[in-house]
Amino acid sequence: MNWVTSSFLNILFGSLFIVLFTYISQKYYKNISVPNLMFNIFIWCGLIGLSYFIIKGNPMIKEKNSIRDITILGTIYLISVILFIQSFSSAPNPSYSIAISNVKVALILIITLIIYKQRMNKPVILRMVFVLIGVYLIIHYRNKQGKINYSDF
């Protein structure tokens, strides 16, 4: 599978996760915090991943500093996911939070341009300006009605 197909599948499954998580957590788990829900999800993912590595083997474990690197990356990822889910779970409309969170694309672009010593051209700068304008419009004109009531569905 190439990166384009993976990207589109990520759109599908990522969107499905966001919609289902928001709906299920607000309908069935109102009294459980987002970090607690996410830890439960990560535990299950960890068990599935552990089962996979027991069956297939994990060559990364043999590398020097791999446990440290996995721990650092896993912690950063867990914090990122918890903050991301907390943001769209408490937003009046989950798409507002996701649009704002996706400004990270511009940040990643700038960082990778610096790391790989590339230049930014005018169309890229113009697209980044449009993204920032879009985020401003979402924040400034967002729906002030409050959270979505999923029990109405």
Side-chain angles (χ1 to χ4, degrees):
M1 181 177 342
N2 65 27
W3 68 272
V4 175
T5 305
S6 297
S7 297
F8 280 106
L9 287 173
N10 181 40
I11 291 170
L12 176 70
F13 284 98
S15 300
L16 181 65
F17 175 80
I18 289 166
V19 170
L20 286 176
F21 183 88
T22 304
Y23 175 77
I24 290 169
S25 65
Q26 290 182 359
K27 186 160 178 100
Y28 301 110
Y29 304 110
K30 291 178 187 174
N31 298 328
I32 300 176
S33 68
V34 170
N36 193 4
L37 285 170
M38 286 311 302
F39 284 128
N40 282 295
I41 291 170
F42 271 82
I43 287 169
W44 282 107
C45 290
L47 292 173
I48 292 168
L50 181 62
S51 301
Y52 175 81
F53 288 132
I54 288 172
I55 294 168
K56 297 286 187 179
N58 185 358
M60 188 174 180
I61 297 297
K62 298 174 187 170
E63 297 294 324
K64 183 180 178 186
N65 299 324
S66 65
I67 300 298
R68 180 201 65 199
D69 296 342
I70 291 169
T71 303
I72 291 170
L73 291 173
T75 303
I76 291 170
Y77 183 71
L78 179 62
I79 292 168
S80 172
V81 169
I82 287 172
L83 292 173
F84 180 64
I85 291 175
Q86 182 70 46
S87 70
F88 75 71
S89 293
S90 59
N93 183 331
S95 63
Y96 297 164
S97 168
I98 294 162
I100 294 168
S101 296
N102 283 332
V103 171
K104 67 183 165 207
V105 171
L107 181 62
I108 292 168
L109 176 65
I110 292 169
I111 292 169
T112 55
L113 288 172
I114 293 168
I115 290 172
Y116 297 116
K117 297 176 178 54
Q118 296 177 346
R119 293 175 29 132
M120 200 176 322
N121 57 30
K122 290 178 186 175
V124 171
I125 293 171
L126 185 61
R127 289 181 198 122
M128 288 174 61
V129 168
F130 283 137
V131 165
L132 294 175
I133 290 170
V135 167
Y136 168 77
L137 291 173
I138 288 171
I139 293 171
H140 191 266
Y141 296 107
R142 71 184 178 272
N143 183 352
K144 298 184 189 275
Q145 293 177 346
K147 292 179 71 168
I148 298 170
N149 187 0
Y150 289 100
S151 63
D152 292 341
F153 292 125

